[in-house]
Amino acid sequence: MENSAGITASLQGRYASALFDLANETGVVSPVEADLEKLGAALAASDDLSNLIRNPLVSRDAAGKALNSVAGVLELGEVTTKFLGVLAANGRLSALPQVIAAYGSIAAAARGEVTAQVTSAHPLTDDQIAALSAKLAAREGKTVKIKADVDPELLGGLVVRIGSQQIDSSIRTRLNSLAQAMKG
């Protein structure tokens, strides 16, 4: 499996790539991805957990034991739990959020998916998301997974970001362009 050099060049990318390779060999790519999503949500929801992985005063052993307990509470799989132990033993827990993101990117690429970050002025309906996904899939030639955000400052329209490409059809951008054109 070929990974993007940008992902695997970083420390977090190397850890994510190693985890993906192990998960792929053992046939648990999707369960590990689901585990990491649960863990990412827990990190976002808990300041204590987030502080634990970043605190240099917590010993590697203590951090490993704490994360092993968290893995039990979250009912994470064996591969994910052992991986957290490796991160703790190597003093790399602070990289966990980036490892989670990199693993998601690697797994999506392996499935032939791309993720589109879509920002709109108002929440999109399920029908709108499905239609947008179909149009982006036709454009990209791959399955498109949409992550939707809301930014009322856009006023209307959408901003779609796929990788390094951005499609900005927001009213805010159109008004800014018009203002620049009027300035001369």
Side-chain angles (χ1 to χ4, degrees):
M1 146 86 213
E2 187 174 319
N3 292 324
S4 163
I7 291 175
T8 58
S10 69
L11 174 76
Q12 300 88 345
R14 289 192 303 269
Y15 274 101
S17 182
L19 177 59
F20 179 82
D21 290 344
L22 177 63
N24 196 29
E25 287 173 14
T26 56
V28 293
V29 171
S30 292
V32 168
E33 188 173 17
D35 285 349
L36 292 177
E37 286 174 3
K38 276 195 267 186
L39 188 58
L43 283 168
S46 171
D47 288 339
D48 290 338
L49 182 57
S50 185
N51 290 335
L52 170 74
I53 68 167
R54 289 180 174 77
N55 190 340
L57 300 177
V58 177
S59 72
R60 292 177 181 189
D61 187 49
K65 288 178 182 175
L67 270 157
N68 195 36
S69 296
V70 168
V73 169
L74 294 176
E75 299 177 350
L76 302 182
E78 181 182 357
V79 171
T80 307
T81 302
K82 286 183 178 181
F83 178 73
L84 291 174
V86 169
L87 282 180
N90 292 341
R92 301 293 188 199
L93 283 176
S94 62
L96 185 56
Q98 294 85 8
V99 170
I100 292 170
Y103 184 92
S105 296
I106 293 168
R111 288 189 302 269
E113 290 179 356
V114 293
T115 300
Q117 185 67 44
V118 178
T119 307
S120 60
H122 305 284
L124 298 175
T125 66
D126 290 340
D127 290 341
Q128 289 171 322
I129 290 174
L132 181 59
S133 180
K135 287 187 180 191
L136 291 173
R139 180 181 185 270
E140 294 295 315
K142 297 180 179 181
T143 303
V144 177
K145 182 178 176 182
I146 293 183
K147 290 189 178 183
D149 285 330
V150 175
D151 181 1
E153 292 183 13
L154 292 180
L155 303 175
L158 298 172
V159 176
V160 179
R161 182 169 294 144
I162 300 174
S164 62
Q165 296 179 340
Q166 179 170 308
I167 304 165
D168 189 342
S169 66
S170 67
I171 292 176
R172 177 181 62 187
T173 299
R174 291 178 186 180
L175 289 174
N176 288 341
S177 297
L178 182 60
Q180 290 296 324
M182 292 174 71
K183 287 181 183 178

